[in-house]
Amino acid sequence: MTKKIENLTPGQIVAELDKYIIGQTEAKKNVAIALRNRWRRMNAPADIQQEIIPNNILMIGSTGVGKTEIARRLAKIAEAPFTKVEASKFTEVGYVGRDVESMVRDLVEQSINMVKSTKKEEVKLRAQEAVEDKILNILIPPVTQKNPDLLQDGKTESEINQETREAFREKLRKGDLDHRKIEIDIAQVSAAPIGVMGGPIDEVSMMNIQEMIGGMMPKNKKKRKVTIEEARKILLEEESAKLIDMDEVKEEAIWKAENLGIIFIDEIDKVASSGGKSGPDVSREGVQRDLLPIVEGSTVNTKHGSIKTDHILFIAAGAFHVSKPSDLIPELQGRFPIRVELESLTEANFLQILQTPKNALTKQYKAMLEAEDVTLAFHEDALKEMAAIAYQANTEMENIGARRLQTVMSLLLNDILFDVPERIAAGTSLEITRDMVKEKLGNLVKNKDLSQYIL
């Protein structure tokens, strides 16, 4: 378990989620409990640990109310592997869309990348030193034979060489030599298409064969002239890879995926059947039955090793406008014991979304224009007007939740973004007033068609 979660109570987890997501208290409370329960399971007596299964969650709510964002932010808080899949992408016959097990393989890949990034940080200093030495060896090769004769200032050739190398090392660290070009050797694997004779072969076996053959292929070295800045990045990857034990990475990543992993299954309502016995309903029920063993707990083979899904946290979500949760097969319903209905966003919620979150759209646009040295400010009544327009648009046509604000902001600020920096010079301060909002967006609300609002 990550140290971060050990120190976070359910209340603190909700407080973290509150920084990015407005409202949805009940949903936040349930995911916070689910996350804390993982730590509790890890610290339970060993003989019962394997018996404690996660309480998977089913979120019910319209698009844009925060279902995906809650799951994604939860994974970030937990420093846990996370993957999102859409249930509608799975098909029963022949897996024309995606193999249901692929979501577990995606989770393992995410976990591998997370662990590798952590390991790279641990060996970063050693790798940087090795890279510096490699670059210095190209710029100022070390003296191969020591000359015992004193050359100048009572120093030998070896001592002078070492002093020069250290002076250049200092310049390297300051970035003074970043634009100088050097020639480096880059490892390249001969890429050849791999064909397999015989009958059909599953995805995992094919990946294993490709990896094995790739490992056997000769790794050719290719000379390439690059700047020292580029060389540092390329060589740092190579040196970091040499210092990392991949077997250890795989072992830790699989443990992390099994015990901390979160899989978010979106559009689960699209595979709910309406009671028919033929056509699409049969296919939908087939997808549910394919999902069932993964969610219940099974072993999935990946190219990094086998992974058990028993303690992965599954969060499913859907709007359930046409179908209802009870249309899912009973076995699958039973694997999502916690059901949370997310609330539709109010006008007050829209105003909060524009002001409060750490990643609020207003803050994003301010940051983008700051890059052009242009200051952007929003009047309070302008924000209220934008919230009212977004809410009204959602009421009068399809409700797309908070995503409506992206359309409103884009239509409001597009002219400004186009005019900077040619017509609006650096150093300019801009203020968005209520009158500006009404002028830009007022007529669109009056138009019942509102076609320009559709994302």
Side-chain angles (χ1 to χ4, degrees):
M1 203 68 184
T2 60
K3 291 285 180 189
K4 195 171 179 182
I5 293 305
E6 286 183 23
N7 301 321
L8 281 178
T9 64
Q12 289 169 326
I13 294 166
V14 170
E16 284 293 313
L17 292 170
D18 283 342
K19 292 177 183 176
Y20 298 95
I21 301 144
I22 298 301
Q24 314 305 357
T25 309
E26 196 61 28
K28 289 175 187 171
K29 182 180 173 184
N30 278 285
V31 296
I33 293 167
L35 190 57
R36 185 64 181 180
N37 280 349
R38 299 188 136 188
W39 178 86
R40 289 165 178 154
R41 183 180 78 82
M42 300 286 185
N43 290 274
D47 60 336
I48 202 170
Q49 273 188 23
Q50 293 305 312
E51 305 301 322
I52 301 173
I53 57 172
N55 281 337
N56 297 323
I57 299 166
L58 177 62
M59 292 186 185
I60 303 159
S62 303
T63 183
V65 294
K67 301 186 297 292
T68 306
E69 192 65 9
I70 287 172
R72 199 187 305 280
R73 291 290 170 188
L74 186 74
K76 284 191 177 181
I77 292 167
E79 295 174 349
F82 171 84
T83 191
K84 178 193 172 186
V85 294
E86 292 176 6
S88 54
K89 293 286 174 75
F90 300 126
T91 58
E92 182 199 3
V93 183
Y95 298 117
V96 178
R98 294 191 71 199
D99 174 358
V100 173
E101 289 186 350
S102 64
M103 63 185 179
V104 181
R105 294 188 195 111
D106 290 345
L107 185 74
V108 173
E109 287 299 329
Q110 289 291 331
S111 191
I112 290 279
N113 292 336
M114 283 181 71
V115 176
K116 270 175 78 173
S117 295
T118 305
K119 298 287 183 191
K120 277 181 184 176
E121 280 302 310
E122 289 173 7
V123 300
K124 191 175 180 180
L125 288 175
R126 285 160 60 199
Q128 283 174 337
E129 286 173 10
V131 168
E132 278 179 6
D133 288 335
K134 273 196 168 185
I135 294 172
L136 284 171
N137 288 344
I138 296 167
L139 293 171
I140 307 153
V143 175
T144 51
Q145 291 181 346
K146 292 183 179 179
N147 187 345
D149 300 328
L150 302 179
L151 297 180
Q152 61 182 47
D153 300 326
K155 294 174 183 173
T156 64
E157 184 182 358
S158 177
E159 288 170 337
I160 293 168
N161 178 272
Q162 189 58 33
E163 283 181 4
T164 309
R165 281 172 67 89
E166 290 308 315
F168 268 74
R169 190 187 295 275
E170 196 61 36
K171 287 184 177 183
L172 270 178
R173 288 175 178 174
K174 286 180 181 176
D176 295 345
L177 305 174
D178 279 359
H179 299 295
R180 184 166 171 173
K181 288 203 167 184
I182 58 171
E183 200 172 63
I184 61 171
D185 290 326
I186 299 172
Q188 285 197 323
V189 180
S190 306
I194 298 167
V196 179
M197 299 285 288
I201 186 166
D202 64 85
E203 184 184 348
V204 184
S205 300
M206 178 57 80
M207 286 189 295
N208 288 335
I209 290 168
Q210 287 176 333
E211 194 172 270
M212 181 182 71
I213 294 174
M216 292 163 63
M217 289 282 191
K219 291 179 175 60
N220 300 323
K221 292 277 186 180
K222 182 184 176 184
K223 288 196 177 292
R224 187 174 155 199
K225 203 161 193 178
V226 294
T227 63
I228 284 177
E229 187 178 17
E230 289 176 279
R232 191 184 279 116
K233 291 174 187 172
I234 295 165
L235 295 172
L236 191 62
E237 278 296 313
E238 285 185 13
E239 292 302 316
S240 296
K242 288 178 190 174
L243 294 168
I244 292 171
D245 181 348
M246 275 310 293
D247 289 334
E248 190 182 311
V249 168
K250 288 178 183 179
E251 188 180 333
E252 187 177 330
I254 285 175
W255 181 91
K256 205 162 185 151
E258 285 182 338
N259 294 283
L260 304 179
I262 298 173
I263 293 180
F264 183 76
I265 306 172
D266 203 6
E267 296 186 348
I268 195 79
D269 54 320
K270 301 284 176 66
V271 296
S273 58
S274 55
K277 297 295 180 186
S278 61
D281 281 327
V282 171
S283 180
R284 290 180 191 134
E285 187 172 316
V287 174
Q288 293 180 60
R289 294 203 178 277
D290 286 342
L291 284 168
L292 189 59
I294 307 289
V295 181
E296 277 185 333
S298 59
T299 301
V300 175
N301 292 320
T302 76
K303 68 176 185 178
H304 302 295
S306 298
I307 173 174
K308 292 182 178 178
T309 65
D310 302 62
H311 299 289
I312 291 172
L313 177 65
F314 290 89
I315 301 176
F320 289 99
H321 290 316
V322 178
S323 58
K324 50 190 185 292
S326 58
D327 289 332
L328 295 168
I329 59 172
E331 299 94 324
L332 193 59
Q333 288 182 54
R335 297 307 299 174
F336 290 91
I338 309 297
R339 291 188 188 179
V340 184
E341 196 155 343
L342 281 82
E343 306 148 7
S344 293
L345 298 171
T346 64
E347 191 175 317
N349 288 148
F350 277 125
L351 180 58
Q352 278 184 289
I353 290 166
L354 286 170
Q355 293 174 310
T356 310
K358 287 179 79 172
N359 61 340
L361 281 172
T362 49
K363 295 172 186 176
Q364 290 178 32
Y365 278 94
K366 282 180 184 179
M368 284 194 286
L369 286 170
E370 271 175 24
E372 304 268 15
D373 195 24
V374 172
T375 305
L376 183 67
F378 293 88
H379 287 200
E380 177 79 17
D381 55 359
L383 294 175
K384 286 179 180 176
E385 188 66 25
M386 287 159 63
I389 289 168
Y391 179 73
Q392 187 179 344
N394 271 355
T395 305
E396 294 186 6
M397 58 177 298
E398 190 175 355
N399 185 352
I400 58 170
R403 294 188 180 94
R404 183 71 64 192
L405 289 171
Q406 291 178 312
T407 311
V408 170
M409 289 287 280
S410 177
L411 291 169
L412 177 65
L413 298 174
N414 263 359
D415 288 343
I416 291 171
L417 293 170
F418 185 81
D419 290 340
V420 173
E422 290 174 326
R423 294 186 181 86
I424 300 173
T428 307
S429 293
L430 300 173
E431 291 192 4
I432 306 299
T433 64
R434 185 182 181 187
D435 290 340
M436 286 174 67
V437 175
K438 291 180 86 168
E439 184 187 337
K440 282 274 185 188
L441 306 173
N443 290 333
L444 292 170
V445 177
K446 290 174 187 174
N447 178 7
K448 294 295 179 188
D449 181 31
L450 289 171
S451 59
Q452 293 184 63
Y453 266 94
I454 299 172
L455 285 175

